[in-house]
Amino acid sequence: MHTMTTNPSEFIQLHHASDQQLRAELSAGLLSASAFASPKYFYDALGSKLFAAICELPEYYLSRTEASIVDAHLGEIAAAVGVGGTLIDLGAGNCAKAAHLFPALQPAQYVPVDISVDFLRDAVGDLQQRFPHIKMTGLGLDFSSELQLPDSVQQDRRTFFYPGSSIGNFTPAEAAAFFRKLHTACGDDGGLLIGVDLVKATEILNAAYNDALGVTASFNLNLLLHLNRLLVANFNIAEWRHVSFFSTAQSRIEMYLEARHAVTVQWQGGERRFQQGERIHTENSYKYTPDNFMQLLQQAGFKVTRTWSDDDNWFMVCHARVT
Ligand code: AVI
């Protein structure tokens, strides 16, 4: 009788920033002349659910446009990436986007990476049942600050998968530095499969970040609830409003939380008075032209092999190799 063997999945948590480091970083951002908080603080348990809801909104075209591009060109994507390599999924979350590629790419090893390995356990457990022949190694790692992969990640034909235009949440200078790190981590025969949102009419961009249901506003405001827990702070979300707009000059959506009236906020080890209309900058989401984006990849040493877009040229999926 033939028995199907399931590859036991492996989970590795690389070092976390300490709570003290997180608090110091957040406190410095809130006290800076133009207050800011990193967008990574959007993604507590509720924030991750709100982001999943954003991806379902009629105005937020990014996720469904990317999915339709991938669906329409799965065969060509597999031909560009190659079959049987190592697929490293940056910001894997529920692993659904990568799982969609498995039948075409048939990776020998799948390496979902997310900030905490605990987020990955359930998703990887289910996937391992569905794809028993793929070796799965879940990695807990803040890949935006370091990209040292453990030895159990195969060197052979590494493809970094970075969908969803998350690259847009870095400044172009940060994106360039990140691409250089990825280029090194690719080895001699690796590559990158990445999704990026493109410049388009301002009204379409503004609508995507100011949806009629107010889900994006809730996603933005929820950051304050997260800060209340992390910093033992006393933000009252009723005193803040969501502000978001496309800046043509910077080619980015800028997202802020704006004080509705003068308010004093206290947290463990800090305090600040915000005047009416004063803002906390919470996110940038850069939008590229295809040429600008390919230049960024080329400057980091990548060679762009193929790009795929939708008919309206709203979104681009790009494959690039090291050689
Ligand atoms: C995760 N990232 C690509 C999203 C974006 O579009 O920049 C986050 C987001 N912010 C507001 N809506 C969605």
Side-chain angles (χ1 to χ4, degrees):
M1 196 178 83
H2 177 77
T3 47
M4 188 125 87
T5 50
T6 303
N7 255 317
S9 13
E10 171 189 28
F11 294 92
I12 303 169
Q13 178 69 54
L14 298 168
H15 47 256
H16 260 324
S18 69
D19 288 354
Q20 208 182 354
Q21 275 170 311
L22 290 187
R23 279 200 286 268
E25 180 189 303
L26 273 168
S27 192
L30 291 177
L31 290 171
S32 115
S34 305
F36 65 92
S38 163
K40 69 183 172 198
Y41 297 107
F42 285 139
Y43 302 95
D44 64 351
L46 177 56
S48 301
K49 289 192 171 117
L50 289 168
F51 180 62
I54 287 175
C55 294
E56 302 287 324
L57 291 170
E59 296 95 335
Y60 195 77
Y61 58 85
L62 286 80
S63 326
R64 65 170 175 277
T65 309
E66 183 180 55
S68 73
I69 296 169
V70 170
D71 260 357
H73 302 286
L74 207 47
E76 288 170 12
I77 291 172
V81 170
V83 167
T86 308
L87 187 65
I88 305 168
D89 186 0
L90 300 174
N94 66 8
C95 307
K97 289 184 185 177
H100 197 67
L101 300 173
F102 287 174
L105 294 188
Q106 296 169 46
Q109 187 182 18
Y110 172 57
V111 184
V113 183
D114 220 308
I115 190 101
S116 162
V117 85
D118 296 329
F119 295 158
L120 296 169
R121 280 184 205 280
D122 290 349
V124 172
D126 290 349
L127 266 189
Q128 190 73 88
Q129 299 285 324
R130 282 173 56 205
F131 300 94
H133 302 298
I134 302 176
K135 180 179 179 204
M136 298 193 184
T137 308
L139 271 190
L141 166 72
D142 182 359
F143 60 87
S144 62
S145 49
E146 70 149 283
L147 247 184
Q148 276 295 87
L149 300 179
D151 291 344
S152 52
V153 178
Q154 293 168 23
Q155 290 284 346
D156 184 42
R157 290 181 297 137
R158 289 177 169 179
T159 296
F160 286 90
F161 179 47
Y162 198 32
S165 200
S166 293
I167 194 69
N169 299 131
F170 291 124
T171 65
E174 288 164 350
F178 181 59
F179 285 157
R180 283 192 291 275
K181 279 200 237 170
L182 279 182
H183 189 273
T184 306
C186 273
D188 298 337
D189 55 2
L192 170 65
L193 182 64
I194 185 164
V196 66
D197 196 18
L198 300 177
V199 177
K200 60 187 61 63
T202 301
E203 313 79 73
I204 297 166
L205 289 165
N206 281 337
Y209 292 83
N210 291 283
D211 60 283
L213 277 176
V215 183
T216 308
S218 303
F219 172 72
N220 197 8
L221 287 161
N222 177 60
L223 183 139
L224 297 180
L225 297 183
H226 194 193
L227 295 197
N228 280 350
R229 292 195 308 276
L230 289 172
L231 279 176
V232 198
N234 64 352
F235 281 103
N236 173 358
I237 57 166
E239 294 176 318
W240 296 83
R241 85 169 100 240
H242 162 74
V243 173
S244 164
F245 55 84
F246 183 63
S247 157
T248 316
Q250 306 259 30
S251 198
R252 68 187 193 194
I253 288 281
E254 297 181 7
M255 216 153 85
Y256 299 90
L257 290 161
E258 183 180 284
R260 290 179 186 269
H261 53 80
V263 55
T264 301
V265 182
Q266 280 133 353
W267 61 92
Q268 220 169 46
E271 167 175 313
R272 176 166 183 165
R273 178 137 183 101
F274 291 91
Q275 298 307 324
Q276 179 178 17
E278 213 176 332
R279 292 171 175 176
I280 303 172
H281 193 170
T282 51
E283 188 176 58
N284 292 317
S285 191
Y286 283 82
K287 310 301 169 188
Y288 287 91
T289 64
D291 282 351
N292 286 346
F293 191 69
M294 287 191 281
Q295 253 174 33
L296 208 59
L297 283 166
Q298 281 153 2
Q299 281 160 9
F302 281 104
K303 294 179 184 61
V304 177
T305 57
R306 279 293 306 258
T307 64
W308 301 271
S309 287
D310 53 299
D311 291 343
D312 298 316
N313 284 320
W314 281 8
F315 199 93
M316 181 169 82
V317 175
C318 189
H319 179 252
R321 302 185 63 84
V322 278
T323 48

